[in-house]
Amino acid sequence: MTTSDLTASGSARTSPRMIAGFSDYLRIARFDHMTKNVFILPGIALALLLRGNATTEGPLDILWNVVIGFLAAVGVASANYVINEWLDRDFDRFHPEKSQRAAVQRRMFGPLVLLEYLLLLGAGLALASLVNDALFAACLLLAVSGITYNVKPIRTKDRPYLDVLSESINNPIRLLIGWAMVDAGSLPPVSLLLAFWFGGAFLMNSKRLAEYRDIVASDGRETLGLYRRSFRHYSENHLSVANLVHALLCAFFVAIFLIKYRIEYILLFPGIVTLFAVYYALALTPNSVARKPEKLYRARPVILASVATTVLFVFATFADIPALEVLASQHFIETGALHLLPSRP
C-alpha cells in the first residue's frame, strides 16, 4: 500500500468538510473527558489523612477549594484538549475513531480556536488563583504540560517513550491539584508522585498497545505511523516491555510510600496487583476500552478491582495492625542447627 493510498484511505473516513458550528467548538474542549480528573480525588483524600492536623483550612474552606479547584482543573484540561484536537487534525484522520473528531470533520477558524483556548485557560487559572498559590502553580504546570506535549518544536507526543511519560505526568499534577485544595503549605511525598507518574505511564502505554494491535490488524503499520510518528519506532514487543517497566516502577514507589507512611497500607497490594493484571488483559483484548481511558467506567473488571482496592484502602486507613510493624524493621531467622555442622579444620 502506497502513501497516496493511505492518504485516500484517511480522507475516505471523513465526510465533506462543512464549516464548524458552535457545538463543534464545544466538542473539541472534550468536557466529556472530565472523568480523567478522578486522579484529583486521591490527592484530596491523602492530604486529609496525612496533613489533616497540619492544615489551617476549615471544612467549609476545603469544600470551597474542592469545588472551585475542580472547575479550574476542568478549564485548564479542556484548554489542553482544544490545542490537542486542532494541532492533531491532519494526523487524526488516519485513526479509526479520531477521524470522527470535530476538527477533522469540520472546517474550523484558527483564530477562534486560539480564542477558545485562551478563554478556557484564563478561566481555569483565574479560578485556581481564587483558592491559593499552590493550586494556581499546579494548574499552570498542567497547562505547560499540554503545550510541551502538543506544540512544536517540542511536541513530545511524537517522540517514542517520551510521549508516554510526558502525557502521564498529568497524573501526578492532578494529585498535586487535589493536595493543594487541602494543604497549600506542603507537597505530596516524592514516592507518591512518582508512583502516580509511572502508574499513569502504565495506563497510557496500555492505550498505545491496544491501538497498535487493533490498527495494525485493520489498516497496517504504515497507517499507524501516519497517525502518530512515535508509532514508527514501536513494536508490540517494545510496548509490552515498556508496560512491564512502568508497572514495576509504579509498584516500587508505591511500596516505599505504603511502608513509610502507614504500614497497614501494605494490605492494598493484592488489589493494586489485580488492577494492573486486569487492565493489561484489557489492553490485549481486540477493540478494547483501554483505547479510551475516559470510558473505563464501562469496564466491569476494572471497576470491581477498583472498588475492592478502595475498600482495602478504607479498612487499612482506620485499622491499626501492630503485627505488621515487623515488616518495617530488620529481622533474621535463626536456624539454631548450624552448630551441629562439623567445623572445618
PDB file of all heavy atoms in Angstrom, residues 177-202:
ATOM      1  N   ILE A 177      -2.895  18.962  42.415  1.00  0.00           N
ATOM      2  CA  ILE A 177      -4.068  19.845  42.453  1.00  0.00           C
ATOM      3  C   ILE A 177      -4.969  19.457  43.621  1.00  0.00           C
ATOM      4  O   ILE A 177      -5.421  20.321  44.382  1.00  0.00           O
ATOM      5  CB  ILE A 177      -4.827  19.777  41.114  1.00  0.00           C
ATOM      6  CG1 ILE A 177      -4.008  20.440  39.998  1.00  0.00           C
ATOM      7  CG2 ILE A 177      -6.198  20.433  41.231  1.00  0.00           C
ATOM      8  CD1 ILE A 177      -4.601  20.280  38.611  1.00  0.00           C
ATOM      9  N   GLY A 178      -5.240  18.157  43.782  1.00  0.00           N
ATOM     10  CA  GLY A 178      -6.071  17.717  44.895  1.00  0.00           C
ATOM     11  C   GLY A 178      -5.436  18.007  46.237  1.00  0.00           C
ATOM     12  O   GLY A 178      -6.108  18.436  47.185  1.00  0.00           O
ATOM     13  N   TRP A 179      -4.132  17.778  46.341  1.00  0.00           N
ATOM     14  CA  TRP A 179      -3.405  18.035  47.596  1.00  0.00           C
ATOM     15  C   TRP A 179      -3.479  19.511  47.971  1.00  0.00           C
ATOM     16  O   TRP A 179      -3.696  19.865  49.135  1.00  0.00           O
ATOM     17  CB  TRP A 179      -1.957  17.589  47.423  1.00  0.00           C
ATOM     18  CG  TRP A 179      -1.121  17.627  48.672  1.00  0.00           C
ATOM     19  CD1 TRP A 179      -0.530  18.723  49.232  1.00  0.00           C
ATOM     20  CD2 TRP A 179      -0.764  16.517  49.507  1.00  0.00           C
ATOM     21  NE1 TRP A 179       0.167  18.372  50.350  1.00  0.00           N
ATOM     22  CE2 TRP A 179       0.044  17.018  50.545  1.00  0.00           C
ATOM     23  CE3 TRP A 179      -1.045  15.156  49.467  1.00  0.00           C
ATOM     24  CZ2 TRP A 179       0.586  16.199  51.541  1.00  0.00           C
ATOM     25  CZ3 TRP A 179      -0.518  14.336  50.451  1.00  0.00           C
ATOM     26  CH2 TRP A 179       0.278  14.861  51.475  1.00  0.00           C
ATOM     27  N   ALA A 180      -3.289  20.400  46.969  1.00  0.00           N
ATOM     28  CA  ALA A 180      -3.299  21.840  47.219  1.00  0.00           C
ATOM     29  C   ALA A 180      -4.657  22.339  47.701  1.00  0.00           C
ATOM     30  O   ALA A 180      -4.744  23.365  48.385  1.00  0.00           O
ATOM     31  CB  ALA A 180      -2.888  22.594  45.955  1.00  0.00           C
ATOM     32  N   MET A 181      -5.729  21.640  47.354  1.00  0.00           N
ATOM     33  CA  MET A 181      -7.053  22.025  47.830  1.00  0.00           C
ATOM     34  C   MET A 181      -7.166  21.905  49.346  1.00  0.00           C
ATOM     35  O   MET A 181      -7.937  22.632  49.985  1.00  0.00           O
ATOM     36  CB  MET A 181      -8.124  21.147  47.178  1.00  0.00           C
ATOM     37  CG  MET A 181      -8.261  21.315  45.680  1.00  0.00           C
ATOM     38  SD  MET A 181      -9.463  20.122  45.022  1.00  0.00           S
ATOM     39  CE  MET A 181      -9.335  20.421  43.263  1.00  0.00           C
ATOM     40  N   VAL A 182      -6.384  20.989  49.918  1.00  0.00           N
ATOM     41  CA  VAL A 182      -6.438  20.736  51.361  1.00  0.00           C
ATOM     42  C   VAL A 182      -5.306  21.435  52.101  1.00  0.00           C
ATOM     43  O   VAL A 182      -5.518  22.070  53.137  1.00  0.00           O
ATOM     44  CB  VAL A 182      -6.387  19.219  51.635  1.00  0.00           C
ATOM     45  CG1 VAL A 182      -6.358  18.935  53.143  1.00  0.00           C
ATOM     46  CG2 VAL A 182      -7.576  18.527  50.986  1.00  0.00           C
ATOM     47  N   ASP A 183      -4.097  21.320  51.578  1.00  0.00           N
ATOM     48  CA  ASP A 183      -2.924  21.876  52.254  1.00  0.00           C
ATOM     49  C   ASP A 183      -2.017  22.555  51.246  1.00  0.00           C
ATOM     50  O   ASP A 183      -1.337  21.877  50.471  1.00  0.00           O
ATOM     51  CB  ASP A 183      -2.174  20.772  53.005  1.00  0.00           C
ATOM     52  CG  ASP A 183      -0.971  21.303  53.762  1.00  0.00           C
ATOM     53  OD1 ASP A 183      -0.948  22.507  54.085  1.00  0.00           O
ATOM     54  OD2 ASP A 183      -0.040  20.516  54.019  1.00  0.00           O
ATOM     55  N   ALA A 184      -2.006  23.875  51.273  1.00  0.00           N
ATOM     56  CA  ALA A 184      -1.177  24.638  50.343  1.00  0.00           C
ATOM     57  C   ALA A 184       0.241  24.819  50.857  1.00  0.00           C
ATOM     58  O   ALA A 184       1.093  25.352  50.149  1.00  0.00           O
ATOM     59  CB  ALA A 184      -1.808  26.009  50.087  1.00  0.00           C
ATOM     60  N   GLY A 185       0.498  24.361  52.076  1.00  0.00           N
ATOM     61  CA  GLY A 185       1.808  24.586  52.686  1.00  0.00           C
ATOM     62  C   GLY A 185       2.780  23.445  52.549  1.00  0.00           C
ATOM     63  O   GLY A 185       3.872  23.491  53.117  1.00  0.00           O
ATOM     64  N   SER A 186       2.410  22.391  51.821  1.00  0.00           N
ATOM     65  CA  SER A 186       3.320  21.262  51.652  1.00  0.00           C
ATOM     66  C   SER A 186       3.077  20.604  50.297  1.00  0.00           C
ATOM     67  O   SER A 186       2.111  20.920  49.608  1.00  0.00           O
ATOM     68  CB  SER A 186       3.114  20.233  52.786  1.00  0.00           C
ATOM     69  OG  SER A 186       1.851  19.598  52.653  1.00  0.00           O
ATOM     70  N   LEU A 187       3.962  19.684  49.970  1.00  0.00           N
ATOM     71  CA  LEU A 187       3.827  18.913  48.735  1.00  0.00           C
ATOM     72  C   LEU A 187       3.653  17.436  49.092  1.00  0.00           C
ATOM     73  O   LEU A 187       4.101  16.989  50.147  1.00  0.00           O
ATOM     74  CB  LEU A 187       5.071  19.079  47.854  1.00  0.00           C
ATOM     75  CG  LEU A 187       5.328  20.480  47.298  1.00  0.00           C
ATOM     76  CD1 LEU A 187       6.670  20.491  46.556  1.00  0.00           C
ATOM     77  CD2 LEU A 187       4.201  20.911  46.366  1.00  0.00           C
ATOM     78  N   PRO A 188       3.024  16.659  48.223  1.00  0.00           N
ATOM     79  CA  PRO A 188       2.906  15.215  48.477  1.00  0.00           C
ATOM     80  C   PRO A 188       4.288  14.565  48.510  1.00  0.00           C
ATOM     81  O   PRO A 188       5.244  15.092  47.940  1.00  0.00           O
ATOM     82  CB  PRO A 188       2.084  14.703  47.281  1.00  0.00           C
ATOM     83  CG  PRO A 188       1.449  15.920  46.688  1.00  0.00           C
ATOM     84  CD  PRO A 188       2.372  17.059  46.968  1.00  0.00           C
ATOM     85  N   PRO A 189       4.414  13.415  49.168  1.00  0.00           N
ATOM     86  CA  PRO A 189       5.692  12.699  49.159  1.00  0.00           C
ATOM     87  C   PRO A 189       6.151  12.392  47.731  1.00  0.00           C
ATOM     88  O   PRO A 189       5.334  12.085  46.857  1.00  0.00           O
ATOM     89  CB  PRO A 189       5.373  11.404  49.921  1.00  0.00           C
ATOM     90  CG  PRO A 189       4.185  11.740  50.764  1.00  0.00           C
ATOM     91  CD  PRO A 189       3.394  12.730  49.976  1.00  0.00           C
ATOM     92  N   VAL A 190       7.457  12.493  47.512  1.00  0.00           N
ATOM     93  CA  VAL A 190       8.014  12.241  46.182  1.00  0.00           C
ATOM     94  C   VAL A 190       7.691  10.820  45.723  1.00  0.00           C
ATOM     95  O   VAL A 190       7.390  10.591  44.541  1.00  0.00           O
ATOM     96  CB  VAL A 190       9.534  12.473  46.182  1.00  0.00           C
ATOM     97  CG1 VAL A 190      10.142  12.055  44.842  1.00  0.00           C
ATOM     98  CG2 VAL A 190       9.844  13.938  46.461  1.00  0.00           C
ATOM     99  N   SER A 191       7.732   9.854  46.652  1.00  0.00           N
ATOM    100  CA  SER A 191       7.420   8.470  46.288  1.00  0.00           C
ATOM    101  C   SER A 191       6.002   8.354  45.738  1.00  0.00           C
ATOM    102  O   SER A 191       5.746   7.591  44.800  1.00  0.00           O
ATOM    103  CB  SER A 191       7.595   7.546  47.496  1.00  0.00           C
ATOM    104  OG  SER A 191       6.780   7.961  48.582  1.00  0.00           O
ATOM    105  N   LEU A 192       5.084   9.127  46.306  1.00  0.00           N
ATOM    106  CA  LEU A 192       3.700   9.092  45.856  1.00  0.00           C
ATOM    107  C   LEU A 192       3.565   9.720  44.467  1.00  0.00           C
ATOM    108  O   LEU A 192       2.851   9.197  43.602  1.00  0.00           O
ATOM    109  CB  LEU A 192       2.809   9.824  46.861  1.00  0.00           C
ATOM    110  CG  LEU A 192       1.299   9.751  46.651  1.00  0.00           C
ATOM    111  CD1 LEU A 192       0.822   8.312  46.735  1.00  0.00           C
ATOM    112  CD2 LEU A 192       0.577  10.602  47.690  1.00  0.00           C
ATOM    113  N   LEU A 193       4.250  10.842  44.255  1.00  0.00           N
ATOM    114  CA  LEU A 193       4.210  11.498  42.950  1.00  0.00           C
ATOM    115  C   LEU A 193       4.771  10.580  41.855  1.00  0.00           C
ATOM    116  O   LEU A 193       4.196  10.462  40.769  1.00  0.00           O
ATOM    117  CB  LEU A 193       5.003  12.806  42.995  1.00  0.00           C
ATOM    118  CG  LEU A 193       4.393  13.941  43.830  1.00  0.00           C
ATOM    119  CD1 LEU A 193       5.386  15.086  43.961  1.00  0.00           C
ATOM    120  CD2 LEU A 193       3.099  14.441  43.194  1.00  0.00           C
ATOM    121  N   LEU A 194       5.886   9.912  42.165  1.00  0.00           N
ATOM    122  CA  LEU A 194       6.491   9.013  41.178  1.00  0.00           C
ATOM    123  C   LEU A 194       5.611   7.785  40.931  1.00  0.00           C
ATOM    124  O   LEU A 194       5.521   7.297  39.797  1.00  0.00           O
ATOM    125  CB  LEU A 194       7.880   8.585  41.649  1.00  0.00           C
ATOM    126  CG  LEU A 194       8.943   9.690  41.620  1.00  0.00           C
ATOM    127  CD1 LEU A 194      10.230   9.210  42.275  1.00  0.00           C
ATOM    128  CD2 LEU A 194       9.213  10.159  40.199  1.00  0.00           C
ATOM    129  N   ALA A 195       4.962   7.291  41.989  1.00  0.00           N
ATOM    130  CA  ALA A 195       4.049   6.152  41.817  1.00  0.00           C
ATOM    131  C   ALA A 195       2.899   6.531  40.888  1.00  0.00           C
ATOM    132  O   ALA A 195       2.511   5.743  40.005  1.00  0.00           O
ATOM    133  CB  ALA A 195       3.513   5.701  43.172  1.00  0.00           C
ATOM    134  N   PHE A 196       2.352   7.733  41.053  1.00  0.00           N
ATOM    135  CA  PHE A 196       1.263   8.181  40.189  1.00  0.00           C
ATOM    136  C   PHE A 196       1.759   8.405  38.763  1.00  0.00           C
ATOM    137  O   PHE A 196       1.035   8.134  37.802  1.00  0.00           O
ATOM    138  CB  PHE A 196       0.651   9.466  40.749  1.00  0.00           C
ATOM    139  CG  PHE A 196      -0.556   9.226  41.594  1.00  0.00           C
ATOM    140  CD1 PHE A 196      -0.435   8.637  42.843  1.00  0.00           C
ATOM    141  CD2 PHE A 196      -1.823   9.575  41.157  1.00  0.00           C
ATOM    142  CE1 PHE A 196      -1.538   8.396  43.627  1.00  0.00           C
ATOM    143  CE2 PHE A 196      -2.934   9.338  41.927  1.00  0.00           C
ATOM    144  CZ  PHE A 196      -2.799   8.742  43.174  1.00  0.00           C
ATOM    145  N   TRP A 197       2.980   8.895  38.628  1.00  0.00           N
ATOM    146  CA  TRP A 197       3.533   9.143  37.291  1.00  0.00           C
ATOM    147  C   TRP A 197       3.671   7.828  36.525  1.00  0.00           C
ATOM    148  O   TRP A 197       3.185   7.692  35.399  1.00  0.00           O
ATOM    149  CB  TRP A 197       4.882   9.848  37.415  1.00  0.00           C
ATOM    150  CG  TRP A 197       5.429  10.341  36.101  1.00  0.00           C
ATOM    151  CD1 TRP A 197       4.818  10.275  34.875  1.00  0.00           C
ATOM    152  CD2 TRP A 197       6.685  10.989  35.886  1.00  0.00           C
ATOM    153  NE1 TRP A 197       5.619  10.844  33.908  1.00  0.00           N
ATOM    154  CE2 TRP A 197       6.768  11.288  34.498  1.00  0.00           C
ATOM    155  CE3 TRP A 197       7.738  11.349  36.725  1.00  0.00           C
ATOM    156  CZ2 TRP A 197       7.879  11.920  33.950  1.00  0.00           C
ATOM    157  CZ3 TRP A 197       8.834  11.985  36.166  1.00  0.00           C
ATOM    158  CH2 TRP A 197       8.903  12.261  34.807  1.00  0.00           C
ATOM    159  N   PHE A 198       4.324   6.836  37.142  1.00  0.00           N
ATOM    160  CA  PHE A 198       4.551   5.586  36.429  1.00  0.00           C
ATOM    161  C   PHE A 198       3.272   4.750  36.336  1.00  0.00           C
ATOM    162  O   PHE A 198       3.118   3.967  35.400  1.00  0.00           O
ATOM    163  CB  PHE A 198       5.683   4.803  37.090  1.00  0.00           C
ATOM    164  CG  PHE A 198       7.026   5.422  36.857  1.00  0.00           C
ATOM    165  CD1 PHE A 198       7.733   6.012  37.890  1.00  0.00           C
ATOM    166  CD2 PHE A 198       7.574   5.447  35.580  1.00  0.00           C
ATOM    167  CE1 PHE A 198       8.970   6.598  37.662  1.00  0.00           C
ATOM    168  CE2 PHE A 198       8.807   6.038  35.345  1.00  0.00           C
ATOM    169  CZ  PHE A 198       9.508   6.619  36.391  1.00  0.00           C
ATOM    170  N   GLY A 199       2.358   4.921  37.296  1.00  0.00           N
ATOM    171  CA  GLY A 199       1.054   4.280  37.151  1.00  0.00           C
ATOM    172  C   GLY A 199       0.310   4.839  35.956  1.00  0.00           C
ATOM    173  O   GLY A 199      -0.307   4.098  35.171  1.00  0.00           O
ATOM    174  N   GLY A 200       0.379   6.164  35.786  1.00  0.00           N
ATOM    175  CA  GLY A 200      -0.225   6.793  34.605  1.00  0.00           C
ATOM    176  C   GLY A 200       0.463   6.366  33.328  1.00  0.00           C
ATOM    177  O   GLY A 200      -0.177   6.178  32.289  1.00  0.00           O
ATOM    178  N   ALA A 201       1.797   6.186  33.385  1.00  0.00           N
ATOM    179  CA  ALA A 201       2.537   5.728  32.208  1.00  0.00           C
ATOM    180  C   ALA A 201       2.082   4.326  31.808  1.00  0.00           C
ATOM    181  O   ALA A 201       1.979   4.011  30.613  1.00  0.00           O
ATOM    182  CB  ALA A 201       4.038   5.731  32.501  1.00  0.00           C
ATOM    183  N   PHE A 202       1.794   3.485  32.799  1.00  0.00           N
ATOM    184  CA  PHE A 202       1.275   2.150  32.502  1.00  0.00           C
ATOM    185  C   PHE A 202      -0.060   2.248  31.774  1.00  0.00           C
ATOM    186  O   PHE A 202      -0.305   1.528  30.791  1.00  0.00           O
ATOM    187  CB  PHE A 202       1.121   1.359  33.804  1.00  0.00           C
ATOM    188  CG  PHE A 202       0.465   0.014  33.631  1.00  0.00           C
ATOM    189  CD1 PHE A 202       1.194  -1.080  33.198  1.00  0.00           C
ATOM    190  CD2 PHE A 202      -0.888  -0.145  33.878  1.00  0.00           C
ATOM    191  CE1 PHE A 202       0.585  -2.318  33.029  1.00  0.00           C
ATOM    192  CE2 PHE A 202      -1.508  -1.372  33.710  1.00  0.00           C
ATOM    193  CZ  PHE A 202      -0.773  -2.465  33.282  1.00  0.00           C
TER     194      PHE A 202
END
